[in-house]
Amino acid sequence: MKRRDVIKSLAILPVSAAIPQSVNAAMSPPVPKRKSVYEAIGVKPLINARGTVTVIGASKVLPEVRTAMDAAIDEFVQIDELMDGVGKRLGELMGTESGCVTAGASAAITAATAGCVTGGDPDKIWMIPNLKGMKDEVVITSYSRSAYDAGCKAVGVRMIQVSDINELQAALGPRTAMVYLLSGAESEDGPLSLRAIASLTKPLGIPILVDAAAEGPENPNPHIVQGADLVAYSGGKYLRGPQCAGLLIGRHDLIMAARMNTGPHHGFGRGFKVGREEVIGMLTAAEMWFKRDHASEKKLWNTRLERMARHLQTIPGLNILIKQPQGRSNPSPDMIVSWDPARISYSGQEVEDLLWNGTPRIAVGAAGSYFQPNQKNSILVNSSQLSDGEANIVAAYIAAILSKPVGTAKENAPASADLSGQWDVETKFYASTVYQTFMFEQSGNTLQGTYTGSLGPRDLTGSLSGGEIIIRSTIGLDGARVHSFFTGKISGDTMEGELSVGEYGKATWKAKRHIFKMK
């Protein structure tokens, strides 16, 4: 039986069949569940052993938040007056001048940027994204570049990247709307720390926004204390508020300017509106943050991981590490399950797929690689979003998979062709056709070279087994990150197949060997 067939057959087993009886005996009795609203529309629910990741629902809303949201729905209110009252209360909770509820942390970044650009001037608000005559630059440190600075770029600003204090000094000027920082070790203690940056921006009156999405707020706020003017938080992560809500806290004047660039106000930010029930739910989550027993929560998360580790530690070839969080972001521990590939021949991606395609569906992480195929011999398990009894199910299913490894995959078949040279690629996305190129250098079964797409060229690696091709390529440019995974088949001077672009879905592609015409 081929390895892929073994994986396929394992993936469709119900959990009761996949878990050994000895493990089943140690599991808690199943908890009766109401019929899933997702299954009613043909969507499969999952057990979240991956953490507060947005694409799988982030976190579970607190019971107190649900109650508050239900109460808010029953009455009407003028939204600006609601925001005024909530802003005052958030300021009291956070120890800042003010705050507001946004449509998530990314929306908070966009609103803050728009507020700093326009200052709340309605004429300028209606001009966005045409920033002629406005402060149209945002300075960003090199360590802050990520997918999330797209929240700034949405306003139309130009991002000015700096790597040291001299570049920062040169970048600050009359066109600087603000400085954007991603919270972390380097913003705390690096040469371009928040304190160091604030020492230059304060005399110039240039505000600083700190993206602290995966943190929980503190009072006094550590970022404000170090010189930040605005701080953005996600509401749907560890705060356990509504997933489509977030917080922006800080200077009152900048909060008001940011608010003018969100709903219900017309113009650029109309789409960032937040309903009254989400506003009250987010405020309740903030109130609860300062009442929750965080030490007990962390103890529970660790206890779950330790219990799972005991289930798994008897499997030959496994190494289990419980990794404690560092810094303020993502404050829950992770369990990294790695294995000796000589004894367990699965890749990390294959184990992820087995768990994802099983019954129940289980989502785990890739030990550091959420956005491309996991080529490591490891997976990552996070217990912070598990319900009672789910830790046993997750451990049992992982044990069932890793205790029965399949045989080593057969070696690659000889390559059926030499693909060296340029290939013209036609890729069909959901609503567009894009023309790209491959440039290959081939040695036996191994491919390397360049893939050129709309963002420009990037390195590629790949393999050719018989007539079956695999190509992998990643680009990280100015905060963008796109992972491309091509699979397909060769037929003479043409090839075609499927393209997986991670969070952006799938596409189909065809390629022809480029014919150079003599002039």
Side-chain angles (χ1 to χ4, degrees), residues 23 44 82 151 210 229 255-256 280 292 313 360 383:
V23 180
K44 190 174 183 178
L82 173 61
V210 172
D229 300 276
I255 293 291
M256 291 303 298
I280 291 297
R292 285 160 54 184
Q313 64 187 4
S383 67

Side-chain angles (χ1 to χ4, degrees), residues 6 9 30 32 42 64 71 91 102 128 144 150 177 194 197 245 299-300 305 335 352 362 385 443 476 504:
V6 174
S9 65
E64 294 85 354
T102 63
I128 293 174
S144 297
L194 174 53
I197 293 170
K299 183 178 179 181
L300 174 62
L305 293 181
M335 180 174 70
E352 286 190 63
I362 298 171
Q385 302 308 310
S443 176
Y504 305 108

Side-chain angles (χ1 to χ4, degrees), residues 11-282:
I12 62 175
L13 285 177
V15 71
S16 59
I19 299 173
Q21 290 301 311
S22 59
V23 180
N24 258 327
M27 290 172 54
S28 303
V31 179
K33 293 183 66 175
R34 66 179 184 273
K35 186 176 181 180
S36 169
V37 295
Y38 302 113
E39 290 178 310
I41 56 171
V43 177
K44 190 174 183 178
L46 57 86
I47 293 175
N48 181 1
R50 186 172 168 184
T52 59
V53 180
T54 302
V55 73
I56 56 171
S59 64
K60 292 187 175 180
V61 173
L62 289 168
E64 294 85 354
V65 172
R66 296 185 191 188
T67 300
M69 292 177 72
D70 285 343
I73 291 171
D74 287 337
E75 296 181 284
F76 292 95
V77 68
Q78 206 281 339
I79 297 297
D80 281 307
E81 292 180 0
L82 173 61
M83 285 291 203
D84 287 340
V86 168
K88 180 179 178 181
R89 180 58 185 146
L90 286 173
E92 294 169 353
L93 283 171
M94 309 291 176
T96 61
E97 290 182 12
S98 187
C100 70
V101 175
T102 63
S106 184
I109 294 166
T110 302
T113 305
C116 291
V117 166
T118 66
D121 179 348
D123 286 7
K124 293 179 178 178
I125 290 172
W126 275 102
M127 289 173 65
I128 293 174
N130 177 7
L131 305 186
K132 184 178 180 179
M134 302 184 219
K135 296 180 179 181
D136 61 354
E137 295 178 349
V138 170
V139 174
I140 181 171
T141 60
S142 55
Y143 64 78
S144 297
R145 292 315 298 252
S146 74
Y148 305 109
D149 61 50
C152 299
K153 290 185 284 189
V155 179
V157 296
R158 188 163 69 100
M159 305 298 287
I160 309 297
Q161 182 173 315
V162 298
S163 299
D164 58 44
I165 203 74
N166 293 326
E167 290 183 2
L168 173 64
Q169 287 178 309
L172 298 175
R175 297 177 65 178
T176 307
M178 71 175 197
V179 176
Y180 169 81
L181 288 182
L182 192 62
S183 175
E186 292 185 86
S187 70
E188 291 280 338
D189 300 312
L192 276 177
S193 68
L194 174 53
R195 289 186 187 277
I197 293 170
S199 69
L200 297 178
T201 59
K202 292 294 184 185
L204 300 174
I206 297 172
I208 299 173
L209 166 66
V210 172
D211 178 356
E215 298 180 14
E218 302 173 42
N219 186 350
N221 187 277
H223 307 297
I224 299 293
V225 168
Q226 293 176 64
D229 300 276
L230 295 167
V231 186
Y233 293 97
S234 171
K237 293 188 183 293
Y238 291 94
L239 274 162
R240 294 183 62 186
Q243 183 177 352
C244 294
L247 295 174
L248 183 66
I249 64 170
R251 274 174 44 185
H252 178 70
D253 59 336
L254 295 178
I255 293 291
M256 291 303 298
R259 272 179 49 188
M260 296 306 103
N261 288 277
T262 64
H265 309 291
H266 293 89
F268 164 76
R270 174 73 174 180
F272 295 110
K273 60 187 175 184
V274 188
R276 65 191 188 280
E277 66 277 11
E278 292 172 309
V279 174
I280 291 297
M282 192 64 252

